[in-house]
């Protein structure tokens, strides 16, 4: 399986779909250490689980009602 350079997610807010997608992606081979994952989410979204899944936040871009969270796999 080839990995992607970028993966952008814009799931419905407050449904935890981004967590389920990240759980799937971590072992799928679609994400390499160079892949940038970008998640659009509500400002209130809890991302405290990212370390446990092996991801680290590279950058957060805040907007009025939402955020874009830029992730990479932890080295």
């Amino acid at each position: 399986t080839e990995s992607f350079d970028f993966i952008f997610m814009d799931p419905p807010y407050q449904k935890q779909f981004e967590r389920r997608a990240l759980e799937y992606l971590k072992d799928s081979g679609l994400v390499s250490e160079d892949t940038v994952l970008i998640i659009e989410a509500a400002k209130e979204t809890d991302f405290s689980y990212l370390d446990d899944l092996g991801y680290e936040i590279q950058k957060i871009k805040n907007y009025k009602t939402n955020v874009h969270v830029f992730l990479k796999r932890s080295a």
Side-chain angles (χ1 to χ4, degrees), residues 1-7 24-32 35 37 73:
T1 305
E2 283 192 49
S3 62
F4 287 95
D5 295 328
F6 295 93
I7 297 175
Y24 171 80
L25 288 170
K26 74 178 180 126
D27 296 320
S28 71
L30 297 172
V31 175
S32 73
T35 301
L37 297 102
R73 274 194 2 201

Side-chain angles (χ1 to χ4, degrees), residues 33 54-56 58 72-75:
E33 42 294 323
Y55 296 100
E56 60 184 46
Q58 301 291 305
K72 282 192 141 187
R73 274 194 2 201
S74 300

Side-chain angles (χ1 to χ4, degrees), residues 48-66:
S48 62
Y49 60 85
L50 290 175
D51 275 348
D52 294 338
L53 293 181
Y55 296 100
E56 60 184 46
I57 294 175
Q58 301 291 305
K59 176 181 171 181
I60 298 176
K61 179 77 174 159
N62 288 291
Y63 299 97
K64 287 184 182 179
T65 60
N66 63 338

